[in-house]
Amino acid sequence: MATLLSDLPGSTWTNWVGNQSFTPAHTAAPRDEAEVVALVTQAAERGLGVRVAGAGHSFTPVVETSGLRLDLSALRGVVATDPARRRATALAGTRIHDFYEPLWDAGLALRNQGDIDTQHIAGAVATGTHGSGSRYTSLSGVVRRMRVVTATGEVRDIGEDQPELLRAAQVSVGMLGVVTELELDVADAYRLRQQVGLRAFEDVMEHWDELVSTHRHFGMFWLPSEESGALYNLDGHGRSMADQCYVKVYDEVDPDVPDDDTEGRRVDRCYRIFPMVYDANFHELEYFVPLDRAPEALRAMRELMLARLPESVYPLEVRTVGPDEAYLSPQLGTATAAISVSGTPGTDYWDYLRSVDALLTEHDARVHWGKLHFLTPERLHRLYPRADDFVALRRELDPTGMFLNDHLRPLFA
Ligand SMILES: Cc1cc2nc3c(=O)[nH]c(=O)nc-3n(C[C@H](O)[C@H](O)[C@H](O)COP(=O)(O)OP(=O)(O)OC[C@H]3O[C@@H](n4cnc5c(N)ncnc54)[C@H](O)[C@@H]3O)c2cc1C
């Protein structure tokens, strides 16, 4: 592949769910970091914007650019594991599921992960992708070092010796430059027991603190209607699912506990328990409220959806995420409950999502950068106390804003 931008026309890109699409001036798939540097340098000389596409699993226009879109799929693989320090280093385009075998073979595993495992690690980290468990951070919270090609073409190794920069880089939605490699804090390999079952909504609210604190992982789907479960492949085993909570708890088990897969119960390696199977399409909004305010917010959400929004048939998913220090993280300084709702593709779901936004804003909700949201500059600065620090460092690293786009500029220019 030539690394001359003029030889690289743009191709149309569409995200995984199909609600974002654009055609940039140039598209390139660099084979290594040196090619990334060459491409970013040329784009800077021509005054072009640059954005990287990961696996395209964000619902927001976070990849869009009229300039240069980079595809880092070739920068893929776990390149080092260090069991003594519990560290793993991977190239930016490594998919979450690429970590499984190399880490397990080294006696290691990701500390936590989300519902799917096809994202690029750099893409997942960029938006603060999380799983569930109030003692576990998002994937961004376990990043200990990142290599970033900045606007000048310089390669910066941002590590723990530069804590301010690392906190800005951990959740940066691609705004500090092109990430080529990441080092993560990981766990010793562990096995999980998953237990699922239906419980009444008020029963779950009354036992909220116990459910959240007793289990390594607690998550649930509240199902507004009878047909809701099928939309996310949730099986009620013949029981009525309307207005019920599909509760999932995961706990670590000793290595000698045998594999199990009976109704409502599974025991297996952690990475075989975490991912869900999605074959449905949906457009999702996810907001985060401080953990101690979750039952109050969830009761209000249930009321809103049942009383005023009967068209909202997708389950409401609820997870918890532990606190971290990243400047743009929804978990900055506080554990949160992640509350997500989905709109049906092809329908006008914006009024519904705006009602959810208005309600959760009353509970000081922060947003998921990869999912639909209505964040304004005023709310950004009120709810993210280190937003100014992020913007200052962003301007220092990228004075011309080549890594911004039309979606991010109003918030972060
Ligand atoms: C079915 C489904 C399930 C999901 N489940 C969860 C979940 O359980 N938990 C959760 O928190 N989220 C979840 N998400 C959201 C998803 O994890 C995030 O949107 C994530 O950012 C997507 O990663 P990606 O690799 O697809 O990145 P993309 O969506 O392609 O990009 C995300 C951002 O990262 C930037 N980026 C990517 N690579 C680089 C790089 N090398 N350098 C600089 N910037 C880069 C992009 O420019 C963009 O700004 C889900 C999404 C879907 C569609």
Side-chain angles (χ1 to χ4, degrees), residues 110-125:
L110 295 175
R111 287 189 182 277
N112 203 2
Q113 58 184 92
D115 287 346
I116 57 163
D117 57 10
T118 49
Q119 306 98 319
H120 289 190
I121 185 63
V125 163

Side-chain angles (χ1 to χ4, degrees), residues 121-367:
I121 185 63
V125 163
T127 61
T129 291
H130 62 90
S132 193
S134 57
R135 297 191 293 274
Y136 298 89
T137 68
S138 70
L139 283 165
S140 312
V142 296
V143 173
R144 296 291 174 265
R145 186 177 59 81
M146 289 166 92
R147 277 173 79 82
V148 184
V149 178
T150 65
T152 55
E154 182 195 359
V155 181
R156 296 279 293 259
D157 236 318
I158 302 173
E160 290 167 284
D161 54 338
Q162 294 168 286
E164 302 283 300
L165 207 45
L166 184 60
R167 285 173 200 150
Q170 279 171 318
V171 181
S172 48
V173 204
M175 289 184 277
L176 300 190
V178 180
V179 177
T180 56
E181 186 181 286
L182 303 97
E183 183 178 319
L184 309 182
D185 175 51
V186 293
D188 289 332
Y190 56 100
R191 291 162 56 76
L192 288 175
R193 179 179 48 235
Q194 170 191 285
Q195 296 177 94
V196 300
L198 292 179
R199 285 176 74 160
F201 181 82
E202 260 318 310
D203 177 39
V204 174
M205 292 304 101
E206 278 161 24
H207 294 91
W208 174 261
D209 290 341
E210 178 197 324
L211 282 164
V212 166
S213 60
T214 319
H215 300 286
R216 188 187 200 279
H217 165 118
F218 153 77
M220 71 170 210
F221 294 89
W222 172 67
L223 308 157
S225 67
E226 203 60 68
E227 68 266 35
S228 302
L231 292 167
Y232 279 179
N233 292 332
L234 308 176
D235 188 353
H237 294 285
R239 285 181 56 189
S240 167
M241 296 177 89
D243 199 14
Q244 293 288 301
C245 294
Y246 181 94
V247 173
K248 301 197 291 185
V249 295
Y250 303 167
D251 291 293
E252 270 184 60
V253 291
D254 289 336
D256 53 355
V257 175
D259 286 358
D260 189 2
D261 192 358
T262 46
E263 189 181 307
R265 185 186 153 99
R266 281 172 66 208
V267 174
D268 213 326
R269 293 181 181 186
C270 55
Y271 62 78
R272 293 183 186 143
I273 295 287
F274 283 123
M276 290 180 60
V277 179
Y278 281 109
D279 52 17
N281 200 351
F282 52 89
H283 295 173
E284 189 178 348
L285 168 151
E286 184 170 47
Y287 281 17
F288 303 82
V289 299
L291 190 56
D292 54 353
R293 297 177 63 180
E296 145 203 352
L298 290 171
R299 285 190 177 103
M301 277 293 298
R302 172 175 173 271
E303 205 145 298
L304 175 81
M305 289 169 74
L306 287 182
R308 296 210 358 242
L309 302 165
E311 73 278 19
S312 53
V313 288
Y314 275 89
L316 178 151
E317 185 175 14
V318 186
R319 291 175 282 179
T320 64
V321 196
D324 65 39
E325 300 182 307
Y327 292 167
L328 296 186
S329 167
Q331 284 72 238
L332 171 62
T334 179
T336 67
I339 301 175
S340 85
V341 296
S342 292
T344 310
T347 65
D348 182 4
Y349 45 69
W350 292 104
D351 280 351
Y352 163 41
L353 297 189
R354 280 196 181 281
S355 308
V356 173
D357 169 76
L359 187 149
L360 292 179
T361 299
E362 287 173 23
H363 298 268
D364 291 339
R366 295 172 176 162
V367 308

Side-chain angles (χ1 to χ4, degrees), residues 395-412:
R395 287 181 183 150
E396 203 178 302
L397 262 59
D398 179 19
T400 64
M402 69 182 284
F403 293 112
L404 292 175
N405 67 12
D406 291 347
H407 171 67
L408 297 164
R409 204 170 286 109
L411 293 170
F412 299 107

